[in-house]
Amino acid sequence: MSKKADIENRILTVSYQLFLKQGYKNTTMDDIAQELAMSKKTLYKYFPGKLELLSATFDVLKTRLAIKVQTLLDNKYIPFAAKLKSLLTVVATDLAPINPELLEDLRDHAPAVWKELQEYIRESAYLRFHKLIQEGMEKGYVASHVNISLVVFLYASAIQNLIDPKFLSQFPKEMRDNMGLKTSEIYDQAIQIIYQGILTDEAKTEYQQV
């Protein structure tokens, strides 16, 4: 890795951690420069503004996640149940740190980045999860009567809506408080509910043993 690329990578890593911790709105270029022990002038040489930094950090996240998921899907030596559970773990691990406060910031103050994230979830669901469910059906692990497109729609909707503060705000506060789940647990349980409903009895047993 070149020195320039190494510095850019460090800037993106530090910026992303600050966005997660403080939110997008409350994080300034001064904060980022200070955390990097770098002058703001130097920081601006690499990224022209906070929005560009935010967009770049999410591009890195999406690329990293896409590579992990695709590599897992392409592995012909992993049993379907193990592949399914590993896939859920990968998605939860990479997306869980994006807390509701940051998502609300994106929606209100960085709509272009918010839109790109939504589109990524939809496209990833279609291109990758559709492929996995199709594989499961061909191998007899997914019930043959299941409509694959519906499963993909349910998956994408669960991921998008359960972490969207404005969607959740439609429900009574008591109901939201009683859910009491971390973002990672929301991913895990919502997707398990969907997939446990479509697996054959044999696949359910195998899934529990992974």
Side-chain angles (χ1 to χ4, degrees):
M1 183 181 291
S2 68
K3 182 178 179 180
K4 181 176 183 293
D6 186 57
I7 294 173
E8 288 179 349
N9 184 60
R10 181 166 167 260
I11 291 172
L12 292 174
T13 300
V14 168
S15 300
Y16 186 60
Q17 291 305 316
L18 282 175
F19 291 141
L20 291 178
K21 181 181 178 182
Q22 301 177 181
Y24 173 70
K25 180 183 177 182
N26 294 325
T27 298
T28 67
M29 292 293 274
D30 284 310
D31 293 333
I32 296 169
Q34 184 175 349
E35 190 72 17
L36 288 161
M38 175 186 291
S39 72
K40 197 160 66 168
K41 182 179 179 181
T42 301
L43 178 58
Y44 276 114
K45 283 173 60 179
Y46 289 92
F47 293 94
K50 187 172 72 167
L51 182 59
E52 288 78 11
L53 253 176
L54 177 74
S55 181
T57 61
F58 273 89
D59 283 344
V60 170
L61 172 68
K62 290 182 290 186
T63 300
R64 183 174 68 238
L65 183 55
I67 291 172
K68 287 181 182 178
V69 170
Q70 196 61 50
T71 300
L72 186 61
L73 289 178
D74 290 342
N75 193 322
K76 299 178 181 179
Y77 303 101
I78 302 177
F80 177 78
K83 186 178 292 189
L84 173 58
K85 183 160 280 190
S86 296
L87 199 60
L88 301 182
T89 300
V90 166
V91 172
T93 300
D94 275 15
L95 295 185
I98 308 174
N99 54 66
E101 292 76 18
L102 177 56
L103 288 169
E104 192 163 18
D105 256 6
L106 296 185
R107 188 168 191 163
D108 294 340
H109 303 287
V113 177
W114 168 256
K115 183 179 179 182
E116 287 173 4
L117 181 60
Q118 286 185 307
E119 289 175 351
Y120 170 78
I121 291 173
R122 285 193 295 269
E123 291 173 5
S124 180
Y126 179 75
L127 295 173
R128 297 182 176 88
F129 282 85
H130 190 284
K131 179 179 178 181
L132 180 62
I133 299 306
Q134 183 69 51
E135 176 187 332
M137 185 172 286
E138 291 170 356
K139 294 182 177 179
Y141 290 110
V142 174
S144 59
H145 69 275
V146 168
N147 184 296
I148 298 177
S149 293
L150 178 59
V151 175
V152 173
F153 291 150
L154 288 172
Y155 165 76
S157 296
I159 292 295
Q160 286 182 273
N161 291 325
L162 288 174
I163 60 173
D164 183 347
K166 291 199 174 182
F167 174 81
L168 294 176
S169 68
Q170 301 175 67
F171 297 90
K173 185 178 185 300
E174 181 181 3
M175 184 177 176
R176 284 179 275 137
D177 291 342
N178 286 341
M179 185 166 68
L181 296 175
K182 299 177 182 178
T183 310
S184 58
E185 294 169 330
I186 289 176
Y187 283 123
D188 186 53
Q189 291 198 25
I191 305 310
Q192 282 198 51
I193 289 170
I194 293 173
Y195 284 121
Q196 288 280 29
I198 68 172
L199 297 178
T200 61
D201 290 340
E202 178 188 354
K204 287 178 183 177
T205 301
E206 186 176 324
Y207 185 91
Q208 294 296 335
Q209 294 173 348
V210 173

